[in-house]
Amino acid sequence: MNKRKYPIFYSNEQEDDTGSGRPHVRTDVYGKVPIERRGAYAVFSNILYYTVIVPLIWTWSYIGGLRVKGKEKLKPFKRNKESYFIFANHAGVKDVTICYLLALPTRLNTIGYSDALDGVVTKRLVPALGFIPLPEDVHKAKDFFDAIKFYIIDKKQPVCIYPEAHIWAQYTGVRDFKRASFRYPANLNKPVIPVFFARRVRKGLWKLLKQPRITVLIGDPIYPDPQASEKENAEMLGDKCYESLVALSKSIPQENYRKYVYRPNSAKEGESKDKVAK
């Protein structure tokens, strides 16, 4: 089945998962895998990251026609060795790996569900690449935040968060997202960098590609307000980041490779007409 020919229906931008349809396997991995890279494990991780993973991602991405706009907005942070949070849209697995390139020469850390650690090999490999799993046990929330603080404050490395939570493959817009994850930059007093992964319109011979190529759009940094509370800052950072991502998504022509259609799941909502997600 060619998925692009069939509409993908959704009713809730924050909750609906339009992925593979397979059940998620999210186990609590805290205490079972290293969350913070220290000692010999950090040395092994850095060697793997810089000599194998990054070269592979760089080669694969640029052969595929990757473009990045707004790189100059990250230069002051790299020059001054300051950490920051990247908040990006979530329209494909490629977006996650490309983010590694944005942070170079500094390492990048990514927050995500523990599905990625469901396997004997991935359980050991993925954390070494900078993955910070969300805890399934509420009692491990402090360990999770301590890991974020370790990389942001101690190591001065950026942390990437995908507030939309679920992948909507090739989606060209910005879904409404919860503001809870913005409490991390609010608490640690660090800026938010909006990053949008756009799907370029295929032209010429590029039409032979299976999917559109990617252009990364980097927005202006958004800083916490020193006069506001943590809660107020989380809301402010989330609102401004959403506005910036929407503006970035509209700043470049994109190819609607897949059609997403809003379809309410209640009788009352059903009175409204279906609307196509742009």
Side-chain angles (χ1 to χ4, degrees), residues 53-183:
I53 302 303
V54 167
L56 284 175
I57 295 173
W58 190 93
T59 303
W60 166 60
S61 298
Y62 282 92
I63 287 178
L66 174 69
R67 294 178 185 172
V68 180
K69 296 184 178 181
K71 290 186 290 186
E72 69 281 357
K73 297 172 184 177
L74 297 178
K75 287 183 179 179
F77 299 100
K78 297 178 181 182
R79 183 172 56 249
N80 299 323
K81 296 183 179 179
E82 297 178 5
S83 57
Y84 51 91
F85 284 85
I86 288 177
F87 278 79
N89 63 314
H90 210 11
V93 176
K94 290 181 180 179
D95 304 342
V96 178
T97 57
I98 290 172
C99 257
Y100 289 143
L101 304 181
L102 303 183
L104 288 174
T106 308
R107 290 202 56 170
L108 177 76
N109 306 279
T110 303
I111 292 175
Y113 290 113
S114 61
D115 306 50
L117 306 180
D118 180 36
V120 177
V121 176
T122 57
K123 185 179 293 185
R124 291 163 175 77
L125 178 62
V126 174
L129 303 182
F131 185 77
I132 308 174
L134 289 161
E136 293 300 309
D137 183 349
V138 67
H139 298 97
K140 303 296 176 60
K142 183 179 183 302
D143 295 335
F144 171 66
F145 181 73
D146 286 345
I148 296 175
K149 188 176 180 180
F150 170 70
Y151 292 117
I152 284 287
I153 303 299
D154 298 345
K155 305 300 290 184
K156 299 186 184 303
Q157 297 174 355
V159 169
C160 182
I161 299 177
Y162 298 87
E164 293 173 329
H166 306 295
I167 292 178
W168 282 21
Q170 306 300 324
Y171 186 62
T172 57
V174 180
R175 290 171 276 148
D176 186 29
F177 46 73
K178 298 177 182 178
R179 305 299 193 255
S181 58
F182 289 88
R183 69 179 183 270

Side-chain angles (χ1 to χ4, degrees), residues 175-222:
R175 290 171 276 148
D176 186 29
F177 46 73
K178 298 177 182 178
R179 305 299 193 255
S181 58
F182 289 88
R183 69 179 183 270
Y184 306 128
N187 180 283
L188 298 173
N189 193 33
K190 292 295 180 178
V192 166
I193 310 293
V195 172
F196 185 81
F197 293 91
R199 269 57 192 177
R200 297 204 304 275
V201 178
R202 292 174 295 174
K203 299 179 181 179
L205 293 177
W206 290 108
K207 292 181 179 180
L208 299 176
L209 288 180
K210 185 178 179 180
Q211 297 178 353
R213 293 173 294 164
I214 296 174
T215 292
V216 182
L217 305 172
I218 302 174
D220 294 325
I222 306 169

